[in-house]
Amino acid sequence: MKVPTNLLRDAVRYYTEFLEPNYGSDESKQLVFALTEHFFGFDRLKLAFQPGHRLSESEMLTLHFAVKELKSGKPLQYITGVAHFSGHRFFVNTSVLIPRPETEELVNLAADFCRRMEHSSNVLDVGTGSGCIAISIKKLCPQARVQGCDISSEALSVARQNALSLDADVDFFVCDIQSYDSGYQPCTFDLLVSNPPYVLYADKIDMKSNVLEWEPHLALFAPDEDPVFYYRKLASMALNCLVPTGRLMVEIHERMGETVSNLFTESGFSGVSVYHDINGKERFIVATKQ
Ligand code: GLN
Protein backbone atom coordinates (compact mmCIF):
# COMPACT_ATOMS: atom_id res chain seq x y z
CA MET A 1 0.00 0.00 0.00
CA LYS A 2 1.17 3.50 -0.86
CA VAL A 3 0.20 4.99 2.52
CA PRO A 4 1.03 2.31 5.12
CA THR A 5 -0.20 4.36 8.12
CA ASN A 6 -3.72 4.85 6.71
CA LEU A 7 -3.52 8.31 8.23
CA LEU A 8 -5.63 10.78 6.27
CA ARG A 9 -2.93 13.45 6.54
CA ASP A 10 -0.34 11.09 5.02
CA ALA A 11 -2.77 10.15 2.24
CA VAL A 12 -3.41 13.83 1.46
CA ARG A 13 0.33 14.48 1.31
CA TYR A 14 1.00 11.43 -0.86
CA TYR A 15 -1.80 12.03 -3.37
CA THR A 16 -1.10 15.76 -3.59
CA GLU A 17 2.44 14.93 -4.66
CA PHE A 18 1.13 12.28 -7.04
CA LEU A 19 -1.09 14.85 -8.81
CA GLU A 20 1.43 17.70 -8.76
CA PRO A 21 2.93 17.08 -12.22
CA ASN A 22 -0.57 17.33 -13.70
CA TYR A 23 -2.18 20.13 -11.69
CA GLY A 24 0.60 21.97 -9.80
CA SER A 25 0.82 21.94 -6.02
CA ASP A 26 -2.01 24.33 -5.00
CA GLU A 27 -4.65 22.84 -7.31
CA SER A 28 -3.56 19.28 -6.44
CA LYS A 29 -4.07 19.98 -2.75
CA GLN A 30 -7.46 21.56 -3.41
CA LEU A 31 -8.53 18.60 -5.52
CA VAL A 32 -7.45 16.04 -2.92
CA PHE A 33 -9.29 17.92 -0.17
CA ALA A 34 -12.35 18.19 -2.41
CA LEU A 35 -12.31 14.38 -2.63
CA THR A 36 -11.77 13.82 1.10
CA GLU A 37 -14.56 16.25 1.86
CA HIS A 38 -16.90 14.63 -0.63
CA PHE A 39 -16.23 11.03 0.36
CA PHE A 40 -15.40 11.30 4.08
CA GLY A 41 -16.64 14.74 5.18
CA PHE A 42 -13.06 15.81 5.97
CA ASP A 43 -11.93 19.21 4.74
CA ARG A 44 -8.66 20.96 5.56
CA LEU A 45 -10.03 22.45 8.77
CA LYS A 46 -11.48 19.24 10.13
CA LEU A 47 -8.22 17.45 9.42
CA ALA A 48 -6.32 20.17 11.28
CA PHE A 49 -8.47 19.43 14.34
CA GLN A 50 -8.21 15.65 13.98
CA PRO A 51 -4.69 15.07 12.64
CA GLY A 52 -4.70 11.45 13.78
CA HIS A 53 -7.74 10.45 11.70
CA ARG A 54 -7.25 7.13 9.93
CA LEU A 55 -9.04 5.82 6.86
CA SER A 56 -10.38 2.28 6.63
CA GLU A 57 -9.05 0.01 3.87
CA SER A 58 -12.15 0.57 1.76
CA GLU A 59 -11.90 4.36 2.22
CA MET A 60 -8.26 4.15 1.14
CA LEU A 61 -9.36 2.35 -2.01
CA THR A 62 -12.10 4.90 -2.73
CA LEU A 63 -9.59 7.72 -2.47
CA HIS A 64 -7.01 5.83 -4.50
CA PHE A 65 -9.34 5.21 -7.45
CA ALA A 66 -10.75 8.73 -7.39
CA VAL A 67 -7.24 10.21 -7.47
CA LYS A 68 -6.34 7.92 -10.38
CA GLU A 69 -9.34 9.29 -12.27
CA LEU A 70 -8.16 12.84 -11.60
CA LYS A 71 -4.70 11.85 -12.84
CA SER A 72 -6.26 10.61 -16.08
CA GLY A 73 -7.82 14.07 -16.59
CA LYS A 74 -11.40 13.29 -15.59
CA PRO A 75 -12.97 16.47 -14.18
CA LEU A 76 -13.60 16.46 -10.43
CA GLN A 77 -17.34 17.05 -10.94
CA TYR A 78 -17.70 13.87 -12.97
CA ILE A 79 -15.89 11.90 -10.24
CA THR A 80 -17.96 13.24 -7.37
CA GLY A 81 -21.12 13.64 -9.49
CA VAL A 82 -21.60 17.08 -8.00
CA ALA A 83 -21.43 20.56 -9.54
CA HIS A 84 -22.34 23.77 -7.74
CA PHE A 85 -24.35 26.31 -9.69
CA SER A 86 -26.46 29.27 -8.65
CA GLY A 87 -26.22 28.22 -5.01
CA HIS A 88 -27.45 24.65 -5.62
CA ARG A 89 -25.85 21.23 -5.78
CA PHE A 90 -26.48 19.63 -9.16
CA PHE A 91 -25.89 16.01 -10.02
CA VAL A 92 -23.80 15.68 -13.21
CA ASN A 93 -22.44 12.85 -15.30
CA THR A 94 -20.70 12.71 -18.67
CA SER A 95 -24.03 13.05 -20.53
CA VAL A 96 -24.19 16.71 -19.54
CA LEU A 97 -21.89 19.73 -19.54
CA ILE A 98 -20.50 20.78 -16.19
CA PRO A 99 -22.30 24.07 -15.46
CA ARG A 100 -20.00 27.09 -15.91
CA PRO A 101 -20.04 29.97 -13.40
CA GLU A 102 -20.61 32.58 -16.15
CA THR A 103 -23.93 30.91 -17.03
CA GLU A 104 -25.28 31.99 -13.63
CA GLU A 105 -25.51 35.47 -15.14
CA LEU A 106 -27.91 34.16 -17.80
CA VAL A 107 -30.06 32.77 -14.99
CA ASN A 108 -30.01 36.20 -13.30
CA LEU A 109 -31.04 37.98 -16.51
CA ALA A 110 -33.89 35.50 -16.95
CA ALA A 111 -35.01 35.74 -13.33
CA ASP A 112 -35.00 39.58 -13.46
CA PHE A 113 -37.27 39.40 -16.49
CA CYS A 114 -39.64 36.89 -14.82
CA ARG A 115 -39.83 39.01 -11.66
CA ARG A 116 -40.75 42.12 -13.66
CA MET A 117 -43.70 40.40 -15.33
CA GLU A 118 -47.11 41.08 -13.88
CA HIS A 119 -48.46 37.60 -14.50
CA SER A 120 -46.54 34.40 -13.82
CA SER A 121 -44.23 33.80 -16.73
CA ASN A 122 -43.94 30.78 -18.97
CA VAL A 123 -40.31 29.84 -19.59
CA LEU A 124 -38.58 27.28 -21.81
CA ASP A 125 -34.88 26.36 -21.55
CA VAL A 126 -33.74 24.85 -24.86
CA GLY A 127 -30.84 22.37 -24.64
CA THR A 128 -31.23 22.14 -20.90
CA GLY A 129 -28.53 19.50 -20.21
CA SER A 130 -28.33 19.01 -16.42
CA GLY A 131 -31.34 21.33 -16.08
CA CYS A 132 -29.20 23.84 -14.17
CA ILE A 133 -30.60 26.92 -15.96
CA ALA A 134 -34.26 25.87 -15.85
CA ILE A 135 -34.13 24.69 -12.23
CA SER A 136 -32.20 27.75 -11.01
CA ILE A 137 -34.76 30.06 -12.69
CA LYS A 138 -37.58 28.15 -11.01
CA LYS A 139 -35.85 28.45 -7.63
CA LEU A 140 -35.50 32.23 -8.09
CA CYS A 141 -39.00 32.68 -9.53
CA PRO A 142 -41.26 30.07 -7.92
CA GLN A 143 -44.33 31.58 -9.64
CA ALA A 144 -42.95 30.94 -13.12
CA ARG A 145 -43.92 27.87 -15.10
CA VAL A 146 -40.60 26.48 -16.28
CA GLN A 147 -39.87 23.72 -18.78
CA GLY A 148 -36.64 22.40 -20.23
CA CYS A 149 -35.98 20.36 -23.35
CA ASP A 150 -33.01 18.55 -24.83
CA ILE A 151 -32.23 16.22 -27.70
CA SER A 152 -30.47 13.82 -25.31
CA SER A 153 -32.65 11.52 -23.23
CA GLU A 154 -29.62 10.74 -21.03
CA ALA A 155 -29.32 14.46 -20.28
CA LEU A 156 -33.05 14.68 -19.54
CA SER A 157 -32.78 11.90 -17.01
CA VAL A 158 -30.04 13.88 -15.21
CA ALA A 159 -32.22 17.02 -15.37
CA ARG A 160 -35.20 15.15 -13.92
CA GLN A 161 -33.08 13.79 -11.06
CA ASN A 162 -31.93 17.33 -10.30
CA ALA A 163 -35.48 18.71 -10.35
CA LEU A 164 -36.49 15.98 -7.92
CA SER A 165 -33.60 16.36 -5.52
CA LEU A 166 -33.81 20.17 -5.56
CA ASP A 167 -37.58 20.07 -5.21
CA ALA A 168 -38.19 22.19 -8.31
CA ASP A 169 -41.37 21.74 -10.28
CA VAL A 170 -39.86 21.83 -13.77
CA ASP A 171 -41.06 19.68 -16.69
CA PHE A 172 -38.56 18.22 -19.11
CA PHE A 173 -39.20 16.86 -22.59
CA VAL A 174 -37.29 15.75 -25.68
CA CYS A 175 -36.82 18.28 -28.47
CA ASP A 176 -34.53 18.31 -31.46
CA ILE A 177 -33.89 21.90 -32.38
CA GLN A 178 -31.99 20.80 -35.51
CA SER A 179 -35.18 19.54 -37.07
CA TYR A 180 -37.39 22.16 -35.48
CA ASP A 181 -40.14 23.31 -37.79
CA SER A 182 -42.43 26.16 -37.03
CA GLY A 183 -45.61 24.28 -36.25
CA TYR A 184 -44.85 23.85 -32.58
CA GLN A 185 -46.56 25.48 -29.58
CA PRO A 186 -47.13 28.93 -31.15
CA CYS A 187 -47.18 31.99 -28.87
CA THR A 188 -46.95 30.13 -25.57
CA PHE A 189 -43.76 31.31 -23.92
CA ASP A 190 -42.78 34.63 -22.38
CA LEU A 191 -39.14 33.64 -22.35
CA LEU A 192 -36.93 31.26 -24.28
CA VAL A 193 -33.51 30.82 -22.73
CA SER A 194 -30.63 28.74 -24.09
CA ASN A 195 -26.95 27.97 -23.73
CA PRO A 196 -26.57 26.14 -27.04
CA PRO A 197 -23.42 24.46 -28.39
CA TYR A 198 -21.20 27.28 -29.62
CA VAL A 199 -17.59 26.12 -29.53
CA LEU A 200 -16.03 25.73 -32.98
CA TYR A 201 -14.17 22.57 -33.95
CA ALA A 202 -11.51 24.98 -35.20
CA ASP A 203 -10.98 26.06 -31.55
CA LYS A 204 -10.36 22.49 -30.40
CA ILE A 205 -6.64 23.07 -30.41
CA ASP A 206 -6.96 25.69 -27.63
CA MET A 207 -9.16 23.55 -25.41
CA LYS A 208 -8.06 21.75 -22.28
CA SER A 209 -8.00 17.99 -22.59
CA ASN A 210 -10.26 17.51 -19.57
CA VAL A 211 -13.02 19.41 -21.42
CA LEU A 212 -12.34 17.84 -24.79
CA GLU A 213 -12.03 14.26 -23.65
CA TRP A 214 -14.79 14.19 -21.07
CA GLU A 215 -17.57 16.65 -21.80
CA PRO A 216 -20.29 15.77 -24.34
CA HIS A 217 -19.36 17.11 -27.78
CA LEU A 218 -23.06 17.24 -28.64
CA ALA A 219 -23.42 20.02 -26.05
CA LEU A 220 -20.20 21.87 -26.92
CA PHE A 221 -19.65 22.10 -30.65
CA ALA A 222 -21.38 24.10 -33.35
CA PRO A 223 -20.76 23.14 -36.98
CA ASP A 224 -17.66 24.95 -38.36
CA GLU A 225 -19.34 25.65 -41.66
CA ASP A 226 -22.24 27.36 -39.88
CA PRO A 227 -21.17 28.63 -36.43
CA VAL A 228 -24.53 30.32 -35.77
CA PHE A 229 -26.59 27.28 -36.78
CA TYR A 230 -28.21 26.87 -33.36
CA TYR A 231 -28.88 30.61 -33.01
CA ARG A 232 -30.74 30.64 -36.34
CA LYS A 233 -32.83 27.68 -35.15
CA LEU A 234 -33.45 29.37 -31.78
CA ALA A 235 -34.49 32.59 -33.54
CA SER A 236 -37.07 30.81 -35.67
CA MET A 237 -38.31 28.79 -32.70
CA ALA A 238 -38.57 31.96 -30.59
CA LEU A 239 -40.40 33.91 -33.31
CA ASN A 240 -42.96 31.16 -33.34
CA CYS A 241 -43.17 30.17 -29.67
CA LEU A 242 -42.86 33.51 -27.91
CA VAL A 243 -45.78 35.79 -27.15
CA PRO A 244 -45.41 39.33 -28.59
CA THR A 245 -42.85 41.24 -26.41
CA GLY A 246 -41.50 37.88 -25.19
CA ARG A 247 -37.74 37.56 -24.79
CA LEU A 248 -35.06 35.32 -26.27
CA MET A 249 -31.97 35.10 -24.01
CA VAL A 250 -28.90 33.16 -25.09
CA GLU A 251 -25.32 32.51 -24.08
CA ILE A 252 -22.81 33.08 -26.88
CA HIS A 253 -19.18 32.59 -27.76
CA GLU A 254 -17.25 35.72 -26.77
CA ARG A 255 -16.41 36.42 -30.43
CA MET A 256 -19.97 35.98 -31.71
CA GLY A 257 -21.64 39.07 -30.20
CA GLU A 258 -21.95 41.06 -33.39
CA THR A 259 -22.84 38.14 -35.65
CA VAL A 260 -25.58 36.79 -33.40
CA SER A 261 -26.95 40.31 -32.69
CA ASN A 262 -27.19 40.96 -36.44
CA LEU A 263 -28.83 37.60 -36.99
CA PHE A 264 -31.48 38.34 -34.36
CA THR A 265 -32.12 41.85 -35.68
CA GLU A 266 -32.40 40.59 -39.25
CA SER A 267 -34.77 37.86 -38.08
CA GLY A 268 -37.13 40.59 -36.83
CA PHE A 269 -36.31 40.92 -33.12
CA SER A 270 -36.08 44.36 -31.54
CA GLY A 271 -33.98 45.78 -28.70
CA VAL A 272 -31.17 43.29 -29.29
CA SER A 273 -28.55 43.83 -26.54
CA VAL A 274 -25.26 42.19 -25.68
CA TYR A 275 -24.30 41.58 -22.03
CA HIS A 276 -20.87 40.81 -20.60
CA ASP A 277 -19.93 37.93 -18.31
CA ILE A 278 -18.05 38.10 -14.99
CA ASN A 279 -14.78 38.20 -16.94
CA GLY A 280 -15.86 41.20 -19.01
CA LYS A 281 -16.39 39.14 -22.19
CA GLU A 282 -19.42 39.46 -24.48
CA ARG A 283 -21.42 36.43 -23.37
CA PHE A 284 -25.20 36.91 -23.56
CA ILE A 285 -27.74 38.34 -25.95
CA VAL A 286 -31.26 39.41 -25.10
CA ALA A 287 -33.77 40.05 -27.89
CA THR A 288 -37.45 40.97 -27.86
CA LYS A 289 -40.08 39.58 -30.18
CA GLN A 290 -42.02 42.50 -31.66
N1 GLN B 1 -18.74 27.81 -22.19
C1 GLN B 1 -18.48 26.45 -22.53
C2 GLN B 1 -16.98 26.24 -22.72
O1 GLN B 1 -16.25 27.18 -22.76
C3 GLN B 1 -19.22 26.05 -23.78
C4 GLN B 1 -20.67 26.02 -23.57
C5 GLN B 1 -21.40 25.86 -24.85
O2 GLN B 1 -20.91 25.42 -25.89
N2 GLN B 1 -22.60 26.24 -24.79
O3 GLN B 1 -16.50 25.14 -22.82
Side-chain angles (χ1 to χ4, degrees), residues 97-98 100 102-103 194-200 207 211 215-222 231 251-254 283:
L97 275 193
I98 297 168
R100 309 290 202 261
E102 56 268 28
T103 306
S194 183
N195 174 16
Y198 59 67
V199 179
L200 299 181
M207 290 171 73
V211 174
E215 300 208 73
H217 288 194
L218 187 65
L220 280 174
F221 290 109
Y231 296 96
E251 185 169 318
I252 55 159
H253 190 289
E254 66 205 64
R283 187 64 67 199

